[in-house]
Amino acid sequence: MLNRIKNLKHLIGNTFGATRTGGEFLLRETDFGTVNIEIDIIRRIVERTRLEGVHEINNVIIDAPTVNNPLQVKFDLVILQNYSAPMLGAKLRDAIKEELKNMLDIRDALFDIRVTQVNQNLPEIKKRRVR
């Protein structure tokens, strides 16, 4: 029964293109205080990361880290034609990890990348008019 509810939640989330917005989590705790970060910041970092062969990044879902689980990043990917999905996914994952490490010092994250479409729209060739 619980699995059916989880599956329904997953289906509804992807159907409407929902992203989890709002919320924050503890990034660092020091002697001087705590540093919290909004989940939307991580979502924006993921969405703006671009590589050759990546057409779109959709349905970004961020699950905040807990004591037992690291940060989890899930998203759908639309790639361009003639690119290897596994290679492109791995390169994109590494690029996002590097951005998270450089900007926020987040070193541990799990990724769930789904290639949902291969964009087959080829650029339109301009035709010359003959007079």
Side-chain angles (χ1 to χ4, degrees):
M1 178 75 173
L2 185 60
N3 286 337
R4 292 176 122 177
I5 294 172
K6 286 181 182 179
N7 289 338
L8 180 63
K9 177 181 163 190
H10 182 69
L11 177 66
I12 291 172
N14 286 341
T15 302
F16 296 108
T19 58
R20 291 185 188 169
T21 58
E24 61 182 36
F25 63 91
L26 179 68
L27 185 62
R28 296 281 176 263
E29 188 170 0
T30 66
D31 294 337
F32 301 108
T34 60
V35 178
N36 293 304
I37 185 160
E38 289 281 332
I39 288 177
D40 286 340
I41 300 295
I42 296 174
R43 184 180 51 81
R44 287 185 200 127
I45 291 171
V46 170
E47 288 175 344
R48 76 179 183 122
T49 304
R50 293 287 178 221
L51 292 177
E52 182 181 345
V54 174
H55 182 67
E56 279 183 71
I57 297 174
N58 298 320
N59 300 332
V60 179
I61 299 173
I62 308 296
D63 291 331
T66 61
V67 175
N68 298 328
N69 297 323
L71 178 73
Q72 294 183 355
V73 180
K74 302 172 190 172
F75 59 88
D76 296 338
L77 182 63
V78 179
I79 64 174
L80 297 175
Q81 190 173 8
N82 298 328
Y83 284 91
S84 168
M87 296 281 289
L88 195 57
K91 287 181 182 179
L92 185 61
R93 179 199 63 222
D94 293 342
I96 293 170
K97 275 187 172 183
E98 189 67 26
E99 285 289 320
L100 291 173
K101 184 177 128 192
N102 291 338
M103 294 180 74
L104 304 172
D105 200 31
I106 296 174
R107 299 179 186 276
D108 195 16
L110 295 176
F111 288 83
D112 182 9
I113 303 172
R114 291 185 184 102
V115 177
T116 57
Q117 184 179 357
V118 176
N119 190 3
Q120 297 180 2
N121 295 338
L122 299 175
E124 188 174 316
I125 299 172
K126 294 183 180 179
K127 297 179 183 175
R128 292 177 35 186
R129 291 182 71 173
V130 178
R131 295 184 190 218

